[in-house]
Amino acid sequence: MKNFINEDKIFNILEETETPSRQRVETIINKSLTLKGLSPEEAAVLLNCEEEVVLNRIFEAAKQIKETIYGNRLVLFAPLYLSNRCVNNCLYCGFRKDNLNTGTRLLDTNEIREETRALISQGHKRLLIVSAENPAANIDYLEKAIKTVYDTKEGNGDIRRVNINVAPMGVESFKRLKDTGIGTYQLFQETYHRDTYNQQHTSGPKSDYLKRLYACDLAQSAGIDDVGIGALFGLYNYKFEVLALLFHTMHLEEVFGVGPHTISVPRLEPAQGSNIASNPPYPVSDTDLKKVIAVLRLAVPYTGIILSTRENAVLRNELIYLGVSQISAGSKTLPGSYSNDKNEQGQFSVSDERSLSEVIEDMTDRGFIPSFCTSCYRTGRTGEDFMNLAKPGDIKNFCRPNALLTFEEYLLDYNPELAGKTKALIASEISKIPDQKVRQMTSDKMNSLSSGKRDLYF
Ligand code: SAM
Ligand code: SF4
C-alpha cells in the first residue's frame, strides 16, 4: 500500500498559493460556478483567502452552487451508537481504551430494537450505525444489528436506509456488510498528516495509518460503491486536511471511477477524559469551518457534505446555506440513550440538542424542505450510476418530489401540527417541479399518502 497523500506536494501547493491575487480568486470562483469542480491548487488559493470581502464572495458562490444542485432540500438522519467498548486509544475520544471514566456497553438485539423504535417514533427513516472497535462488535454482530434495525416496525414507520461508521474490515467482511443492505460505508481518516496521526492513535489496530487510508478502497473492492470520507478538524492544519480530502477523492475516482458519496466535516468537541478534545492542537474557528465547507462545495459540487450536531444550532443554521446536504438531528452519542433518555455524556458533547421536530420546524421556517428520501440506493442509483445522473442535473427530477413525499409522510405520522404551517411551502415546491407529468404524479402520490399509503417514491 503506497501512501497516496503526498505531504510535500500539499505543503508546496499551500505555499505557492499563499498570497493569491484578487483576479486569480475571481477566475477560480467563476470556474466553480460551471460546476466542473476545482483542482487542489485552485482550492488552495481559496483556502488561503482571509479577507472578509473575499470570503463573502466564496460563500456566495457556495450558496449558488448548493441551490443549483441541491435546491432547498436537506436530508436528515440520526446516529445509532451500538457500542462504546474500544480497543483503540484515540487521544481525543471519550470511548478510548484507557479512559476508565466510561462504563462500556454493547447493545444486544432487544436493546437495538428499542433504540430503533425510539428513533422511528421521532420520524427518522435514515440511521447511521456507529460503533467503537472491539472483538464483540464483529461482522456477525453487525449483520444481526443491521437486520434488527431493518426488521423493526413502529406504527407506520420503519428505517429505510442504514449507513455505517465502523472500523475497517477485510474484503470478505465488507462483502457481508454490503449484503445486509447498507447504504454508505463511512470512515474518517481523522488527520491525513501522518506524524500527527501517529501521535493521536497510540495503540490498537487504528494506529495503522495506511490500513485506515485504504479502508474505502477495500469497501469499494467488495462492491460497496457509496463510501464516505472525512477529517476530524482541530487535530492538524485545516487547509492541509481539505487538500488531503481532495487528493483522497481523486484517488478513489482514479481507481474506482467514482469519488466518495459524502464528505464529513466533524470538528473536535469536548469529550470526557480527553484534554485534547477540549484544547484542539489546531483550533478551527467558525469562520474557518465556513470556509472549509464552502471550498469543498466549490471543489466537489456533487459530493454530499454532512454536518453533525457537534456544531451548535446557530452555526448550523448558517452552514446549511453554504453547501451542506445532510444533517443529523436529535442525536445521542451514548449506546442505549434514545430509549432510556439518560442524560449521560456520550462519545463527545453534542452542541445542537434540539429534537428532530424542533430542527424541522426551524428548517421549514427558513424555507428548507426536510428530506427522508432513501430512493436512490433502493432503486440502484448508487456509485457511478448516481454520479452519471447527478452531473447533468437529472437527479433533481427525483430529489424534489421524493423529498416532498417523505416530508408529507413525516407530517402525517409525526407532526400534524406543522402541516398547516408548511402547506404553502409544499404547494410552492410542487409548482417548481418542471415536468408537468412528474408534477401531477407527485400530487397524486401525496393524495395516496393522505389516504393511508406509505413509502411512495420515484
Ligand atoms: N470507532 C470507529 C472509528 O473511530 O472509526 C467509528 C466510530 S467513531 C465513534 C466516529 C468518529 O467520531 C471518529 O471517526 C471521530 O472522527 C469522531 N470523534 C471521536 N472523538 C471525537 C470528539 N472528541 N469530537 C468530535 N468527534 C469525535
Ligand atoms: Fe475507538 Fe473510534 Fe473512539 Fe477511536 S474514535 S477510541 S476507534 S470509538
Side-chain angles (χ1 to χ4, degrees):
M1 287 187 293
K2 186 174 158 276
N3 185 1
F4 54 81
I5 300 298
N6 183 336
E7 294 188 4
D8 289 341
K9 189 170 173 182
I10 295 180
F11 287 127
N12 282 340
I13 295 175
L14 284 170
E15 207 178 306
E16 279 161 15
T17 53
E18 206 161 18
T19 42
S21 74
R22 187 72 196 266
Q23 200 194 340
R24 179 134 195 243
V25 172
E26 278 305 317
T27 310
I28 293 170
I29 290 178
N30 289 333
K31 180 187 167 191
S32 76
L33 295 175
T34 65
L35 309 181
K36 297 240 157 57
L38 300 178
S39 66
E41 289 77 8
E42 290 163 333
V45 169
L46 302 185
L47 288 167
N48 274 325
C49 295
E50 310 290 348
E51 246 184 283
E52 197 181 331
V53 275
V54 185
L55 287 181
N56 285 339
R57 282 282 298 129
I58 298 171
F59 298 158
E60 273 308 311
K63 212 167 162 180
Q64 198 175 320
I65 293 172
K66 145 104 186 164
E67 268 164 28
T68 311
I69 299 179
Y70 303 88
N72 54 351
R73 295 177 301 282
L74 266 179
V75 171
L76 289 159
F77 72 96
L80 169 56
Y81 277 72
L82 297 183
S83 177
N84 61 350
R85 190 179 297 166
C86 199
V87 293
N88 292 307
N89 246 324
C90 312
L91 297 186
Y92 45 80
C93 179
F95 293 171
R96 82 195 142 87
K97 186 173 170 231
D98 288 352
N99 190 5
L100 303 175
N101 297 328
T102 319
T104 60
R105 298 175 197 190
L106 176 86
L107 300 189
D108 64 23
T109 303
N110 282 337
E111 289 168 324
I112 294 170
R113 195 175 299 115
E114 284 315 305
E115 289 287 272
T116 308
R117 286 169 68 168
L119 285 157
I120 296 173
S121 306
Q122 292 175 26
H124 279 293
K125 297 280 185 280
R126 302 168 60 106
L127 297 189
L128 173 67
I129 281 190
V130 182
S131 178
E133 182 170 3
N134 66 69
N138 56 19
I139 184 67
D140 297 335
Y141 171 82
L142 292 172
E143 272 179 342
K144 258 195 238 149
I146 295 163
K147 185 171 183 330
T148 304
V149 170
Y150 278 135
D151 285 349
T152 303
K153 311 272 174 239
E154 180 71 12
N156 285 332
D158 53 5
I159 297 301
R160 300 174 188 161
R161 178 172 175 139
V162 174
N163 297 328
I164 187 156
N165 183 328
V166 296
M169 51 190 91
V171 175
E172 285 314 310
S173 298
F174 269 131
K175 282 187 182 154
R176 288 171 62 186
L177 193 62
K178 181 187 163 55
D179 292 342
T180 62
I182 58 152
T184 308
Y185 171 70
Q186 207 184 65
L187 194 75
F188 309 153
Q189 186 63 25
E190 320 297 10
T191 172
Y192 286 89
H193 187 252
R194 202 162 178 169
D195 282 350
T196 307
Y197 188 93
N198 294 339
Q199 284 157 20
Q200 294 292 336
H201 304 98
T202 55
S203 66
K206 192 168 164 182
S207 54
D208 186 339
Y209 174 95
L210 280 182
K211 188 174 160 214
R212 194 150 180 105
L213 192 62
Y214 274 88
C216 288
D217 286 57
L218 290 192
Q220 282 272 12
S221 307
I224 299 176
D225 53 2
D226 280 352
V227 295
I229 61 173
L232 183 54
F233 286 89
L235 292 178
Y236 191 62
N237 179 333
Y238 74 89
K239 298 178 187 178
F240 178 96
E241 304 291 13
V242 173
L243 293 196
L245 284 165
L246 295 181
F247 279 112
H248 195 169
T249 299
M250 286 158 61
H251 165 82
L252 292 171
E253 276 167 358
E254 268 163 36
V255 182
F256 300 101
V258 60
H261 188 63
T262 54
I263 295 182
S264 298
V265 289
R267 197 162 51 155
L268 265 184
E269 276 294 311
Q272 233 171 45
S274 166
N275 280 335
I276 280 167
S278 306
N279 304 291
Y282 286 79
V284 177
S285 69
D286 290 356
T287 306
D288 294 340
L289 186 64
K290 281 167 75 174
K291 196 187 342 178
V292 165
I293 291 175
V295 172
L296 284 171
R297 184 68 302 140
L298 270 55
V300 281
Y302 295 99
T303 305
I305 298 181
I306 303 182
L307 185 68
S308 75
T309 52
R310 290 173 180 87
E311 304 304 334
N312 66 46
V314 175
L315 184 62
R316 292 217 309 163
N317 280 337
E318 272 191 70
L319 297 172
I320 54 177
Y321 291 93
L322 293 181
V324 170
S325 53
Q326 294 188 28
I327 58 168
S328 48
S331 305
K332 307 250 169 135
T333 64
L334 187 72
S337 48
Y338 291 110
S339 40
N340 275 320
D341 213 19
K342 284 193 195 141
N343 238 354
E344 290 170 63
Q345 162 116 59
Q347 189 196 12
F348 49 82
S349 56
V350 164
S351 298
D352 183 350
E353 290 185 319
R354 293 172 299 168
S355 65
L356 175 66
S357 63
E358 285 167 334
V359 171
I360 287 183
E361 280 159 34
D362 201 348
M363 275 170 67
T364 49
D365 280 348
R366 289 162 201 279
F368 281 92
I369 295 284
S371 175
F372 296 93
C373 178
T374 54
S375 158
C376 274
Y377 106 101
R378 291 162 82 203
T379 49
R381 295 192 296 263
T382 58
E384 212 172 343
D385 294 341
F386 173 83
M387 285 299 170
N388 288 342
L389 275 168
K391 290 191 175 163
D394 293 348
I395 204 77
K396 275 192 287 189
N397 293 331
F398 303 103
C399 295
R400 183 179 273 131
N402 284 336
L404 288 169
L405 291 169
T406 56
F407 181 40
E408 181 70 10
E409 208 178 318
Y410 167 80
L411 291 171
L412 288 165
D413 288 338
Y414 306 100
N415 204 340
E417 308 80 51
L418 189 65
K421 249 177 100 184
T422 52
K423 213 172 173 165
L425 178 65
I426 291 178
S428 139
E429 286 301 304
I430 293 180
S431 73
K432 286 188 213 154
I433 299 172
D435 186 304
Q436 198 272 331
K437 220 167 116 200
V438 179
R439 197 160 58 236
Q440 187 55 49
M441 282 166 78
T442 307
S443 298
D444 294 346
K445 283 184 197 289
M446 294 283 241
N447 291 336
S448 302
L449 289 174
S450 299
S451 42
K453 284 230 166 88
R454 290 293 174 266
D455 200 11
L456 302 176
Y457 54 89
F458 288 88

